[in-house]
Amino acid sequence: ISMSEEKSLFETMGIDYEERNGLLYPIFEEEAAIENIHVGKYGDLWMEYLKVNHPDRYRHLFRFGKLMKKAIEVNEDAYEMLDSIVSKYLEKHPPIDPNSTMEMWQIREQAKMMAEEMIFHDIVNQFH
């Protein structure tokens, strides 16, 4: 790849440039830059938590191009934890009537609510 074809860090993150006095400057509009990248439910929630509660850490990760990667990791960790907790819960709480769709749904929803409480406490609402 020649120098003219290489993308800058900002271009790979989807940040546009604007020309001022013959020089190109990156446009740092956080919302515009990150709205095009899907990091998942828990990744989005973690970024919002970090933005509100730890703005310096949020800006640091954003500036160095690590925010999206970290949010994707948080999302993956959260879903792994969700699957694990739900599976364990279903083993311990088998349905009385396994053919009952409503009963299975209720058990899964209860497992999911319990798992999400733990996910928010242990993963999403944390300083990573």
Side-chain angles (χ1 to χ4, degrees):
I1 298 177
S2 70
M3 287 299 280
S4 62
E5 294 176 17
E6 274 187 58
K7 287 188 170 185
S8 72
L9 171 65
F10 298 117
E11 288 171 322
T12 59
M13 292 172 52
I15 297 176
D16 294 322
Y17 286 86
E18 68 179 359
E19 184 176 343
R20 284 188 254 149
N21 299 328
L23 297 174
L24 295 175
Y25 292 90
I27 302 170
F28 289 112
E29 295 179 25
E30 292 177 7
E31 301 306 321
I34 64 176
E35 70 184 19
N36 298 329
I37 300 172
H38 181 67
V39 295
K41 172 185 175 178
Y42 298 109
D44 286 336
L45 291 168
W46 172 75
M47 285 194 311
E48 187 61 31
Y49 168 81
L50 202 63
K51 188 177 187 179
V52 170
N53 296 288
H54 303 285
D56 292 337
R57 176 74 172 152
Y58 178 89
R59 284 191 301 274
H60 174 80
L61 289 170
F62 180 79
R63 249 182 266 139
F64 289 100
K66 296 180 181 179
L67 182 65
M68 295 300 135
K69 182 180 177 188
K70 193 63 169 166
I72 290 168
E73 287 174 21
V74 166
N75 191 62
E76 289 172 0
D77 290 346
Y79 273 107
E80 285 175 18
M81 186 177 198
L82 178 71
D83 291 342
S84 173
I85 292 170
V86 168
S87 294
K88 289 176 185 172
Y89 187 89
L90 292 174
E91 286 174 16
K92 290 181 181 179
H93 301 89
I96 295 168
D97 178 9
N99 296 321
S100 171
T101 305
M102 189 55 116
E103 184 181 1
M104 288 301 296
W105 176 80
Q106 287 174 334
I107 292 171
R108 286 189 177 281
E109 281 300 303
Q110 188 161 359
K112 185 180 172 189
M113 287 188 313
M114 187 181 77
E116 281 195 332
E117 189 175 317
M118 295 172 73
I119 288 167
F120 281 107
H121 183 269
D122 295 348
I123 297 176
V124 173
N125 295 339
Q126 293 292 322
F127 182 93
H128 292 275

